[in-house]
Amino acid sequence: MNFLTKKAAAAALLLAFNISASEFEYSGKIGIEERYFFAGGQYEEQFEHWQTSFSVEPEFTWNWNDGVDSLVFTPFYRFDAQDEQRTHGDIRELFYIHVGDDWEFRAGIRKEFWGVTEFQHLVDVINQTDGVEGFDGEDKLGQQMLNLSLVRDWGIIDLYLLPGFRERTFPGEEGRLRGPLVVDKNNVSYESSAEDKHIDFAARWSHVLGDFDIGSYWFHGTNRDPLLTPAQNGQTLVLRQYYNQMDQLGIDVQATIDDWLWKFESIYRSTKAEDFGAVQAGFEYTYVGVFDSFTDLGLLMEYGWDSRGEAGASAGANVQNDLFLGSRIAFNDMQDSEVLMGFSTDLDHNAFSILVEASRRFGDSFKANLDFRMLQSSEYTDQLYSLKDDDHLQVSLDWYF
């Protein structure tokens, strides 16, 4: 047996030992979801009222070297009976992590969330939005990345190398919660000659200073928000996606002072076409144990502003001059029952939206969720006008294992 063969055999034995010595865990959820739209479809191809779907999202974790090394795999798949574009699968996460004394290294596909505000997450920029999953933009696609996290006394530095880009998902022509023109998933162009192979970069600093949690970052790469413009697809008018390059600076601050949470997010984005800034800021005040009960009542208010004003709507901005009011009720019971109610209004247009989100566990393995959305506008130029017939109630039941 030569030297290389001996070395390969030793490596195989070491790998076998590590696998046998590793700890394997699995969990996840399987869910059924039912939506009911109170009005019929506003556009000819859309389905009428009921939308049924099933989803599965398992998570597999391997730990070895006493937890110093880990591998996480989280696939996702949804089948939708009405909208074929919403039937889709994704690798939400598939990454390796190594933990050092004052540093961590992660490689693979991950989800990375930044932000502190409730109604809009301005600073969240790493992952692409999974637009067919939900209306609020909180569901994200997995992003390829290399991430080095350095822990210092003066804060945590995160460095990101992001090879590859994910295009946003949109409802199909049968789907609801869309405008009059369908986004063509096959008609995509980029500012960068590397297209979806462009390598993006990001650096973020975060720290806790007394009552303040602070984060700031710089991002350079492909804009996650596509510019949608009309284009011809045969005899059909559709929307074409265009992704430009951008540099973005962001900051998020949350102050916890007694029963108050003060929240602030701001970005400044620079592209060849324009530069602009945006702010989302507000507070949440919590009454602990109202009426001598175990229930906590939170009152929320936020304001969103975009320097582009009404012109920002054509570039994908959902908030230009908007006020958000809400209330959060945490019952603090064995079933983790919670209710979030919110109202938003556009201060420049006669447009508003109402949301109610409620959840409750049943036993150790089941969780029920209820979501209600009302989206109203009487002005044709407002984004919500195209969704004015999409008020809906959504009920889902998830089994956790």
Side-chain angles (χ1 to χ4, degrees):
M1 184 180 293
N2 60 36
F3 174 75
L4 290 177
T5 305
K6 290 180 179 179
K7 189 174 181 180
L13 287 173
L14 181 60
L15 178 61
F17 173 78
N18 285 336
I19 291 176
S20 64
S22 66
E23 296 181 5
F24 172 73
E25 298 177 354
Y26 69 92
S27 59
K29 64 179 180 177
I30 297 174
I32 179 173
E33 176 187 282
E34 190 72 49
R35 286 176 176 174
Y36 179 76
F37 291 87
F38 300 106
Q42 187 173 351
Y43 310 112
E44 183 178 353
E45 305 88 352
Q46 291 181 311
F47 64 84
E48 288 298 303
H49 296 285
W50 294 96
Q51 183 176 20
T52 304
S53 68
F54 304 88
S55 65
V56 56
E57 188 173 12
E59 179 174 306
F60 307 96
T61 304
W62 292 265
N63 298 296
W64 64 97
N65 291 340
D66 294 325
V68 171
D69 297 285
S70 301
L71 182 66
V72 178
F73 177 40
T74 308
F76 171 83
Y77 184 80
R78 179 179 297 279
F79 170 78
D80 191 288
Q82 276 69 42
D83 183 1
E84 64 178 14
Q85 290 295 97
R86 198 166 183 250
T87 296
H88 70 301
D90 182 43
I91 297 178
R92 296 305 201 208
E93 293 184 316
L94 175 57
F95 66 93
Y96 161 78
I97 179 172
H98 177 83
V99 180
D101 292 335
D102 56 1
W103 61 278
E104 292 185 6
F105 174 73
R106 309 173 186 94
I109 300 171
R110 296 183 58 235
K111 290 198 297 183
E112 186 75 55
F113 173 77
W114 300 338
V116 295
T117 53
E118 181 70 40
F119 296 101
Q120 183 187 207
H121 305 304
L122 270 179
V123 302
D124 194 30
V125 71
I126 293 292
N127 293 84
Q128 178 60 277
T129 299
D130 191 350
V132 297
E133 273 300 293
F135 174 75
D136 54 15
E138 294 191 355
D139 295 283
K140 300 293 182 177
L141 299 171
Q143 170 65 47
Q144 302 172 66
M145 69 176 70
L146 299 175
N147 169 218
L148 177 63
S149 184
L150 306 173
V151 181
R152 300 293 183 263
D153 293 337
W154 39 268
I156 299 174
I157 298 294
D158 278 293
L159 304 174
Y160 299 87
L161 180 69
L162 309 169
F165 174 75
R166 305 290 305 278
E167 297 159 7
R168 184 170 295 188
T169 59
F170 293 93
E173 63 179 0
E174 305 95 344
R176 304 294 294 263
L177 295 167
R178 67 165 177 84
L181 299 182
V182 176
V183 178
D184 189 349
K185 66 176 183 178
N186 297 316
N187 195 339
V188 183
S189 59
Y190 296 84
E191 177 183 335
S192 170
S193 60
E195 298 185 336
D196 60 348
K197 304 300 190 298
H198 186 272
I199 298 177
D200 301 341
F201 303 92
R204 176 176 169 85
W205 169 79
S206 57
H207 194 39
V208 178
L209 294 173
D211 296 327
F212 293 84
D213 294 280
I214 305 174
S216 63
Y217 70 84
W218 165 69
F219 173 92
H220 171 79
T222 305
N223 194 341
R224 272 51 180 162
D225 298 324
L227 180 63
L228 302 177
T229 56
Q232 203 73 28
N233 182 6
Q235 300 299 315
T236 305
L237 192 62
V238 296
L239 291 176
R240 173 177 55 199
Q241 303 177 62
Y242 175 72
Y243 294 93
N244 59 9
Q245 292 291 295
M246 73 173 189
D247 283 278
Q248 180 165 301
L249 301 175
I251 183 171
D252 53 275
V253 181
Q254 179 169 281
T256 306
I257 302 174
D258 297 326
D259 295 328
W260 294 85
L261 281 179
W262 297 93
K263 306 178 181 185
F264 176 86
E265 294 186 21
S266 180
I267 62 169
Y268 178 80
R269 182 181 297 176
S270 177
T271 68
K272 283 186 178 180
E274 62 180 352
D275 297 346
F276 72 92
V279 172
Q280 183 85 5
F283 67 83
E284 179 174 356
Y285 179 79
T286 302
Y287 292 93
V288 179
V290 292
F291 304 118
D292 295 323
S293 69
F294 294 106
T295 301
D296 297 338
L297 173 64
L299 302 178
L300 300 89
M301 184 176 75
E302 291 181 8
Y303 171 73
W305 172 82
D306 191 304
S307 65
R308 295 170 293 179
E310 295 185 20
S314 62
N318 295 320
V319 174
Q320 296 88 47
N321 182 27
D322 293 49
L323 180 66
F324 303 85
L325 302 173
S327 176
R328 189 197 316 274
I329 303 173
F331 293 93
N332 296 318
D333 55 5
M334 295 293 291
Q335 292 77 34
D336 288 333
S337 305
E338 288 189 352
V339 178
L340 173 67
M341 297 173 285
F343 171 83
S344 68
T345 181
D346 189 324
L347 300 180
D348 294 326
H349 299 100
N350 184 19
F352 69 90
S353 64
I354 296 174
L355 71 87
V356 179
E357 298 177 353
S359 64
R360 180 182 175 88
R361 280 196 303 106
F362 291 91
D364 296 328
S365 304
F366 291 91
K367 184 176 182 180
N369 301 277
L370 181 146
D371 295 89
F372 169 77
R373 302 274 177 171
M374 177 180 288
L375 312 164
Q376 292 297 309
S377 176
S378 59
E379 298 190 33
Y380 181 78
T381 57
D382 188 75
Q383 277 191 324
L384 283 183
Y385 184 85
S386 63
L387 306 177
K388 62 185 178 65
D389 289 340
D390 282 340
D391 299 345
H392 65 278
L393 179 69
Q394 175 179 300
V395 179
S396 62
L397 180 65
D398 295 321
W399 172 53
Y400 287 83
F401 58 88

